Amino acid sequence: EEPSVRKLAYYNPYNGNSVAVKGTIQKATARTFSYTFNQLLTYDRKFGNHHFEALVGHEFYKYRYDYLSATKTGFPFGGLYELDAATTITGASSYQNNYAVQSVLSRLNYDFADKYYLSASFRTDGSSRFYKDNRWGKFWSVGGNWRISHESFMSDITWINNLSLKASYGVQGNDAILSGTKQNFYAWQSFYDLGYANSSMSGAAVTSLENKELKWEKNANLNIGIEAKLFDRVSATIEWYQRKTTDMLMSFPMASSLGFDGYNKNVGSMRNTGIDLTLGVDIFKDTPFTWNLTLLGSTIKNKVLQLADKPEIISGSYIIREGETLYSFYTATAAGVDPATGEQLYWAWDTDENGVKGKKYITNDMAKATACKEIQGSRIPDLYGSINNTFKYKGFDLSILCTYSIGGKVLDGIYNNLLYGNYVGQAKSKMLERAWRNPGDITDLPRIEIGKSYIITDNSLIDASYFAIKNIALGYSLPSKWMKSIGFDSARLTATADNVVLFNRLKGMDPQYNFTGGTDFGYVPVRTISFGIDITF
């Protein structure tokens, strides 16, 4: 959803980009308005060891976004920041986005003797993003939990405080589809550009294709796990999950010669599997100094199961191929730099008339290398999670939260441009100090040339592993007897630091950006340090 915004852009008439048009001003304003209505009816009743809880409800969500902007040029002199002060309208634009979801939902929970728990839910949702014949989706879930530690045969095992086995299966829906970096609120409809006037008559051109068959993306989730608390000190959860996504919502590519690059479609299915692990330990407990350590770790394995109409979808340096990870990197393979000439070398192969690949060889032919792209891994890490430490001593408390990720790769487009930019005056990376200079140099960066074209290879893929100290919070609660002596109930001093430090492979790169694999212009998370005092009286 797009944020509300107020924008002013001004270019003076004396110097800079707008001297020829005597200055430029642009003003834009945007407003977001949304609301949600809920009507819920609940039922809760106990009969001996039986406990029932039921819920039925209706929900309606409405979203509206209004945008208006105008641009004018021609100022009599500088320092005027209103549209009325300029003479010529060079642009004006306004549009509105609307989105609505209506839902009917229900849930039933049952537990017996605090040992057996069952739950079930059903809901149906209608989205304005789909054509009326496919607007509604039906989604459901079931789950159960068995508290083994409450069984009579466990009564003599005192070191097990809690032991539970749980399982659930459910289907959820997704109606969000991206158009570039923005959500497409009119996913099934054709769009028209009305800027093609025919003399004094209006004219229009089709800019996107409709698809009335577009429908909800469905995510089926299976979870099986064990929860335990041992020795009144150690808490652990291990959970295996499988998530299968069907009717994936994506832009389905077309040959540009047909007039469109693609259209929105339910293109296939994929599967995610992995393990989530949580471990909490009270290292020091029931003492003046306490220390709690919480570790979280997760794995994920992704596989594309099926694509509609074709076995693969290629988009730049990415590929979606049946049997592979979603958005795998798909690039040429570098074979080092020629020590004699400083040219970039590549691995390539020839293919016979039957499509059989021949033996790989090294070449400096970029066109050949481009035709010999290979899958080079993906952004998906081998392991990721967090580490949280909490300390307390008398009135002091300290918490330190860290996150980490091991494995995966990033294609940092900004860094790549700093290495391989091809025009005069472009900013360059300091890493170019190791580029080839003289015959005999052994390096991984080719000689620097202005005006030369480069292709992306696996050399541009950077290890995505990182370790980040996300938050440090220190607090001190002043003794209550001090506070009461001056008429206060309590007082607490705090100092907090967010995004303290990020350790990763490449300075300036943010591998936390996404799980898709690429980065864009942007800053690493801003480090913030704040102090506070909280007084109650």
Side-chain angles (χ1 to χ4, degrees), residues 277 293-298 384-388 401-404 470:
L277 175 65
L293 170 64
T294 303
L295 303 174
L296 276 70
S298 297
Y384 65 98
S386 64
I387 304 171
N388 188 37
L401 173 64
C402 304
T403 61
Y404 67 90
K470 299 293 290 184

Side-chain angles (χ1 to χ4, degrees), residues 147-331:
R147 296 190 70 180
I148 305 173
S149 56
H150 280 44
E151 296 289 354
S152 59
F153 59 81
M154 297 288 291
S155 60
D156 294 333
I157 307 177
T158 58
W159 56 274
I160 297 180
N161 307 112
N162 180 65
L163 181 63
S164 299
L165 176 65
K166 59 183 181 178
S168 64
Y169 181 83
V171 180
Q172 300 170 323
N174 171 50
D175 66 343
I177 182 171
L178 295 180
S179 179
T181 58
K182 297 182 179 180
Q183 291 197 43
N184 190 336
F185 294 97
Y186 311 96
W188 73 270
Q189 300 180 55
S190 283
F191 267 60
Y192 298 83
D193 186 341
L194 300 176
Y196 293 86
N198 181 8
S199 185
S200 61
M201 305 296 291
S202 298
V206 181
T207 58
S208 64
L209 296 175
E210 75 170 30
N211 180 8
K212 293 182 178 180
E213 302 301 316
L214 203 68
K215 57 186 178 181
W216 284 87
E217 177 181 291
K218 298 180 180 64
N219 299 301
N221 297 278
L222 173 63
N223 296 73
I224 301 173
I226 297 176
E227 291 184 6
K229 186 169 184 180
L230 312 175
F231 306 105
D232 200 28
R233 184 181 294 267
V234 179
S235 299
T237 301
I238 183 168
E239 188 169 322
W240 175 85
Y241 69 88
Q242 176 176 283
R243 180 175 183 176
K244 184 177 180 182
T245 302
T246 57
D247 298 321
M248 288 191 300
L249 288 170
M250 294 180 61
S251 178
F252 189 75
M254 301 169 55
S256 297
S257 58
L258 297 175
F260 302 91
D261 292 329
Y263 66 101
N264 296 326
K265 186 176 181 179
N266 299 97
V267 300
S269 61
M270 69 176 183
R271 182 176 62 232
N272 290 324
T273 57
I275 295 174
D276 292 328
L277 175 65
T278 302
L279 178 64
V281 183
D282 291 321
I283 299 176
F284 292 104
K285 181 183 178 183
D286 301 325
T287 60
F289 174 74
T290 64
W291 176 12
N292 175 265
L293 170 64
T294 303
L295 303 174
L296 276 70
S298 297
T299 66
I300 180 172
K301 298 294 183 183
N302 175 272
K303 184 177 182 180
V304 177
L305 302 177
Q306 182 263 331
L307 292 175
D309 302 338
K310 58 176 66 177
E312 62 185 29
I313 298 174
I314 299 173
S315 178
S317 299
Y318 300 90
I319 187 171
I320 303 173
R321 176 184 287 174
E322 292 180 356
E324 299 289 347
T325 301
L326 186 71
Y327 294 120
S328 293
F329 294 113
Y330 191 59
T331 72

Side-chain angles (χ1 to χ4, degrees), residues 337-461:
V337 173
D338 189 333
T341 64
E343 285 189 294
Q344 179 68 60
L345 302 177
Y346 312 93
W347 287 103
W349 60 83
D350 295 317
T351 305
D352 63 21
E353 62 275 8
N354 297 318
V356 179
K357 296 180 181 179
K359 186 177 180 180
K360 286 186 177 182
Y361 58 87
I362 294 176
T363 178
N364 63 356
D365 188 339
M366 285 194 300
K368 187 68 178 177
T370 301
C372 297
K373 289 185 176 182
E374 298 178 279
I375 291 179
Q376 311 282 5
S378 73
R379 174 61 187 88
I380 303 296
D382 300 319
L383 177 68
Y384 65 98
S386 64
I387 304 171
N388 188 37
N389 285 279
T390 302
F391 308 91
K392 291 183 180 180
Y393 179 71
K394 295 185 178 180
F396 292 93
D397 58 87
L398 172 67
S399 66
I400 304 173
L401 173 64
C402 304
T403 61
Y404 67 90
S405 180
I406 302 172
K409 301 177 181 179
V410 170
L411 176 56
D412 191 328
I414 310 307
Y415 175 65
N416 202 66
N417 286 336
L418 294 175
L419 282 181
Y420 301 110
N422 58 7
Y423 58 87
V424 175
Q426 183 177 9
K428 300 294 183 183
S429 170
K430 186 179 180 181
M431 299 299 182
L432 285 174
E433 291 178 351
R434 70 170 191 266
W436 184 95
R437 297 184 183 185
N438 302 298
D441 287 349
I442 305 298
T443 181
D444 62 327
L445 291 179
R447 67 174 184 252
I448 301 173
E449 297 181 65
I450 299 299
K452 179 178 175 60
S453 297
Y454 295 90
I455 62 173
I456 293 178
T457 71
D458 60 327
N459 266 358
S460 298
L461 302 178

